[in-house]
Amino acid sequence: MTAIPQPRKSPRQQRSQQTVDTILQATARVLASHGYAGTNTNLIAETAGVSVGSLYQYFPNKNALIAALHQRHDNQMLDVIDDVLNSNPAATLKERVAAIVQAMLHAHLLEPALHRVLEREFPLFDIPGDHSLADQDIHRRMRHLLELHRAEIAQQDRDLATYVVLRIMESLVHAMALEPPAGFDARQLEQSVVDAVMGYLATPGAAATPRPAKATKLRTTAKTAAAAKAARPAKTVRAATPAALPTAAKKAPRRKAAG
């Protein structure tokens, strides 16, 4: 695994957190405007309105800033899911999926140039999911969402369903943000992602419900076969009786002759 550049320290007070947020926002603007080659810590500090010393207090170089932008993006996606889960408890699964997709796509379209740099030039600076606390929280939130709406889902393995749903959302939203297809507005793009997710989760009942019936039918057939097998010996006895009569007839005359 590629070593992910780390910040020098994390902010502990609200004021220092605001400084870090300002630096990251400036980094995003500079990267989007100048690309990686044209980005340096002096330009970022100038754009943020802070000294280079303040920047270096938290980040050792621009690669650490890029890694922090990836982490910021993951946290934004986590906030999106939390907002949906915490609003309108009466919403259906489709409504909640639509709200998540809409918020995700909106967040990506706000900074398409930045996401293009992050996803195409520096995907390796994104912390792998098994090491990212934000990614793990996103998985847990989505798993919880599917469990809340289990009555609306045909997929029985909800751990696998969580993985597939997140991959569908992330892949399509990223593609639409980086290379939006011509001739379609945001609402059409959002609906296409929702349809893909719901099409996976909401498999038609006819495809999922017959399974118990088939199993019952098989069990009934097995019982019938067992009963038929149990009846076979009786049939065999009846079939053997005529064959035994000639022997009995031969013995009878011998006893008569002896008398």
Side-chain angles (χ1 to χ4, degrees), residues 14-224:
Q14 183 177 0
R15 182 177 178 180
S16 57
Q17 181 62 60
Q18 291 174 346
T19 299
V20 169
D21 291 342
T22 299
I23 292 172
L24 290 178
Q25 290 170 7
T27 304
R29 291 198 300 271
V30 172
L31 270 176
S33 301
H34 301 275
Y36 181 79
T39 297
N40 58 65
T41 52
N42 287 328
L43 183 55
I44 292 172
E46 179 182 347
T47 304
V50 300
S51 66
V52 176
S54 295
L55 185 152
Y56 282 132
Q57 185 178 357
Y58 297 100
F59 301 99
N61 50 50
K62 66 180 180 180
N63 288 344
L65 285 162
I66 293 173
L69 285 178
H70 273 292
Q71 188 64 30
R72 186 188 72 160
H73 172 70
D74 291 342
N75 289 330
Q76 289 172 342
M77 295 304 99
L78 178 60
D79 290 342
V80 162
I81 296 177
D82 278 342
D83 289 344
V84 171
L85 286 174
N86 294 330
S87 64
N88 191 8
T92 64
L93 175 63
K94 185 173 183 178
E95 290 170 341
R96 284 178 161 172
V97 168
I100 291 173
V101 170
Q102 181 182 40
M104 287 178 66
L105 188 58
H106 177 71
H108 283 76
L109 292 178
L110 282 177
E111 301 175 308
L114 171 63
H115 288 294
R116 192 171 293 111
V117 172
L118 293 179
E119 297 301 327
R120 289 182 175 175
E121 297 186 34
F122 299 99
L124 294 179
F125 284 178
D126 190 8
I127 301 174
D130 56 349
H131 290 81
S132 170
L133 295 179
D135 281 350
Q136 293 170 19
D137 284 340
I138 288 172
H139 184 94
R140 280 192 289 268
R141 301 295 201 284
M142 183 59 69
R143 177 67 171 78
H144 177 63
L145 176 62
L146 297 186
E147 189 62 35
L148 286 176
H149 295 274
R150 58 187 177 275
E152 303 173 59
I153 298 173
Q155 299 293 330
Q156 297 301 311
D157 189 337
R158 279 181 279 280
D159 287 324
L160 176 60
T162 299
Y163 171 83
V164 173
V165 167
L166 287 173
R167 295 292 82 75
I168 291 174
M169 288 182 175
E170 292 172 1
S171 299
L172 290 179
V173 168
H174 281 161
M176 292 172 179
L178 299 181
E179 297 179 354
F184 301 98
D185 59 28
R187 182 173 299 180
Q188 290 173 299
L189 298 178
E190 292 167 11
Q191 189 59 50
S192 66
V193 181
V194 174
D195 289 343
V197 172
M198 297 307 299
Y200 167 70
L201 291 175
T203 305
T209 53
R211 293 178 182 175
K214 288 181 180 179
T216 302
K217 185 175 181 181
L218 288 173
R219 287 195 295 269
T220 302
T221 303
K223 290 179 181 178
T224 304

